[in-house]
Amino acid sequence: MQDSGLIYTFASINIFFKMDLKHLEKISKALGDINRLKILEDMSEKGGTIQCSEIVKILDLAQPSVSHHIKTLIEAGLIEPEKNGRNYTYILNKPLLENFLKKLKFTPNCR
């Protein structure tokens, strides 16, 4: 069990140091929309996973709009898709979010 903790720690450190300002910007833009925040909040409340059909219900938007929001979150690395037959389940990328917050703390103020 300790080994997997070490792997997680090293993976987190690796993600932390590889995150450049462009990636910070991409994540920030993805987090800058209320609908995407609703998706992430609902995922977090449900243990870090959600199905596409659930997203459609919580957002009350047309399918193309939901697809756009999902695509934006995937491209930012905030969620990861997992295909199960014809359905998709999305998994919250918790290490990335944690490291995003850490990186923000270490990013100097731009003036």
Side-chain angles (χ1 to χ4, degrees), residues 40 93 98:
L40 295 175
N93 189 343
E98 291 167 3

Side-chain angles (χ1 to χ4, degrees), residues 5-86:
L6 286 174
I7 292 169
Y8 173 78
T9 302
F10 291 137
S12 297
I13 290 169
N14 196 24
I15 291 169
F16 176 74
F17 286 113
K18 285 187 174 182
M19 190 178 295
D20 62 2
L21 291 177
K22 277 291 186 192
H23 196 197
L24 280 173
E25 178 185 34
K26 190 171 219 162
I27 294 169
S28 297
K29 285 182 178 182
L31 295 173
D33 182 273
I34 190 71
N35 291 306
R36 292 190 284 271
L37 289 174
K38 286 179 186 177
I39 293 169
L40 295 175
E41 180 181 47
D42 200 61
M43 288 178 80
S44 183
E45 290 172 359
K46 293 179 178 174
T49 62
I50 194 169
Q51 295 208 344
C52 189
S53 58
E54 295 175 71
I55 297 171
V56 172
K57 289 177 188 173
I58 62 167
L59 293 185
D60 194 32
L61 294 173
Q63 181 62 48
S65 295
V66 172
S67 294
H68 167 74
H69 291 302
I70 290 170
K71 180 182 175 196
T72 302
L73 291 170
I74 291 171
E75 288 176 350
L78 293 166
I79 63 174
E80 298 172 359
E82 185 177 279
K83 190 169 183 173
N84 299 317
R86 294 178 60 190

